[in-house]
């Protein structure tokens, strides 16, 4: 196969012939995004960014998911708001590198975390790169050099929660707290409800006092048998009484700590009594 010289010639660039500020984008991965930038200013910059969003969403572009396209659109609106307040640029040709650096500082002073700031800033930079590719020579040379990197500052180390918005993070925390509450309900009611279990509280305190006095509590001890039977009658777990987590925090810590700090004989005899299925005639 032979190639002529003309085969290697690059055809003249054809700019995007479509202009508009209101249109719909059919995302490649499903869904429709309604784009409406009619009221946005500076108008010429909004037109250029609208074309960049459309090109990036086309087949072969970098934006395929509906949610991602909406995120880029929201980032454009934030950038336009900054330009209206802090820049004199009215067209893409008058944008300068200082506009991007000032925008980054604006996001930082607004309390945005480094990694979030990078993602928001990158969306404006990607749009400007698309504009530069579509209309070579339009953007200022200093701005074109600035588009070669996102930020001169480090984004820092990412944390899992950085990927979530405050709303999503709050929902996840609430769901986690709900799961923990349901776990405690499934395990059993805590003994903080003294009005419902006054006798069980008294016997638990006696068992604590016996452990303090002798350093152990044997399964043959009357207090242990009494405690076992009272918990059994109330439907509280008894399969591993020495590690029972249904005690309130202060009592659970005391019982577990004192049990394990006692002589090995006391701990083993208590477990043998519980796991061996010993019946003390609970009534």
């Amino acid at each position: 196969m032979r190639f002529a010289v003309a085969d290697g010639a690059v055809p003249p660039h054809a700019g995007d012939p479509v202009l508009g500020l209101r249109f719909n984008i059919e995302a490649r991965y499903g869904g429709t995004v309604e784009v409406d930038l009619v009221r946005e200013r500076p108008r010429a910059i909004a037109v250029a960014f609208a074309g960049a969003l459309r090109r990036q969403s086309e087949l072969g572009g970098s934006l395929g998911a509906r949610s991602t396209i909406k995120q880029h659109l929201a980032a454009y609106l934030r950038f336009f708001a900054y330009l209206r307040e802090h820049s004199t640029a009215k067209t893409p040709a008058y944008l300068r590198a200082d506009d991007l650096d000032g925008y980054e500082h604006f996001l930082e002073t607004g309390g945005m975390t480094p990694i979030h700031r990078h993602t928001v800033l990158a969306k404006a930079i990607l749009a400007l790169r698309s504009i530069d590719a579509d209309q070579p020579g339009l953007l200022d040379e200093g701005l074109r050099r600035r588009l070669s990197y996102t930020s001169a500052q480090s984004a820092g180390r990412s944390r899992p929660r950085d990927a979530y918005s405050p709303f999503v993070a709050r929902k996840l925390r609430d769901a986690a707290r709900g799961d923990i509450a349901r776990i405690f309900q499934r395990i059993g009611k805590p003994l903080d409800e003294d009005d419902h279990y006054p006798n069980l509280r008294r016997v638990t305190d006696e068992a604590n006092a016996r452990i303090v006095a002798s350093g152990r509590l044997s399964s043959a001890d009357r207090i242990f048998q009494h405690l076992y039977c009272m918990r059994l009658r109330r439907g509280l777990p008894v399969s591993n009484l020495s590690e029972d987590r249904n005690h309130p925090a202060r009592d659970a810590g005391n019982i577990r700590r004192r049990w394990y700090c006692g002589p090995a004989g006391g701990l083993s005899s208590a477990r043998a009594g519980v796991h061996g299925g010993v019946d003390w005639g609970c009534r």
Side-chain angles (χ1 to χ4, degrees):
M1 180 179 294
R2 294 183 178 181
F3 295 95
V5 177
D7 294 331
V10 179
H13 178 79
D16 190 348
V18 181
L19 297 177
L21 291 170
R22 181 184 293 141
F23 51 88
N24 293 339
I25 295 177
E26 296 294 334
R28 296 197 305 273
Y29 301 148
T32 302
V33 179
E34 297 181 0
V35 179
D36 188 354
L37 301 177
V38 172
R39 298 180 181 275
E40 293 302 318
R41 299 293 184 273
R43 187 177 183 87
I45 296 178
V47 170
F49 271 67
L53 181 64
R54 188 179 59 254
R55 288 190 299 274
Q56 292 179 91
S57 304
E58 293 174 347
L59 185 63
S62 59
L63 308 181
R66 176 176 179 270
S67 59
T68 306
I69 298 173
K70 293 180 66 176
Q71 290 170 8
H72 278 250
L73 179 58
Y76 297 170
L77 299 179
R78 191 192 297 263
F79 184 55
F80 298 157
Y82 167 79
L83 292 178
R84 287 194 298 270
E85 296 293 330
H86 303 280
S87 176
T88 59
K90 301 301 181 183
T91 67
Y94 285 93
L95 288 172
R96 296 295 183 262
D98 290 343
D99 291 321
L100 280 181
D101 293 334
Y103 181 49
E104 180 180 9
H105 180 70
F106 171 77
L107 296 176
E108 182 179 6
T109 56
M112 193 171 289
T113 60
I115 194 167
H116 189 194
R117 185 170 68 246
H118 270 59
T119 59
V120 173
L121 182 61
K123 292 175 174 58
I125 291 177
L126 288 174
L128 289 170
R129 289 174 181 172
S130 176
I131 295 171
D132 183 53
D134 183 66
Q135 304 180 59
L138 174 65
L139 300 182
D140 175 70
E141 187 62 30
L143 177 60
R144 294 182 68 246
R145 288 193 297 268
R146 176 61 181 82
L147 297 179
S148 63
Y149 62 94
T150 301
S151 173
Q153 303 183 52
S154 171
R157 299 182 62 181
S158 63
R159 299 168 297 177
R161 63 176 177 270
D162 289 331
Y164 303 117
S165 67
F167 174 78
V168 174
R170 184 171 62 254
K171 288 295 185 180
L172 290 175
R173 285 194 297 270
D174 293 344
R177 293 189 182 104
D179 288 342
I180 293 174
R182 285 189 289 272
I183 289 173
F184 276 104
Q185 291 175 359
R186 187 172 68 249
I187 292 176
K189 294 182 179 179
L191 295 185
D192 288 331
E193 304 175 3
D194 295 334
D195 295 339
H196 297 287
Y197 301 108
N199 293 332
L200 184 56
R201 169 67 64 191
R202 177 180 54 79
V203 175
T204 301
D205 292 340
E206 292 179 5
N208 278 332
R210 186 66 59 87
I211 295 172
V212 171
S214 61
R216 65 186 180 90
L217 185 63
S218 170
S219 61
D221 195 296
R222 179 188 61 83
I223 295 297
F224 181 87
Q225 296 175 13
H226 196 183
L227 180 61
Y228 178 93
C229 292
M230 292 182 71
R231 292 178 62 85
L232 188 65
R233 285 196 298 269
R234 287 164 175 77
L236 298 174
V238 293
S239 61
N240 200 0
L241 186 56
S242 64
E243 298 176 0
D244 177 29
R245 286 179 168 82
N246 286 299
H247 294 276
R250 64 179 187 277
D251 290 333
N254 289 339
I255 288 180
R256 291 198 299 273
R257 180 169 63 255
R258 293 165 184 166
W259 225 300
Y260 288 111
C261 290
L267 178 59
S268 60
S269 61
R271 284 186 169 178
V274 173
H275 290 290
V278 178
D279 184 3
W280 288 294
C282 298
R283 294 183 295 273

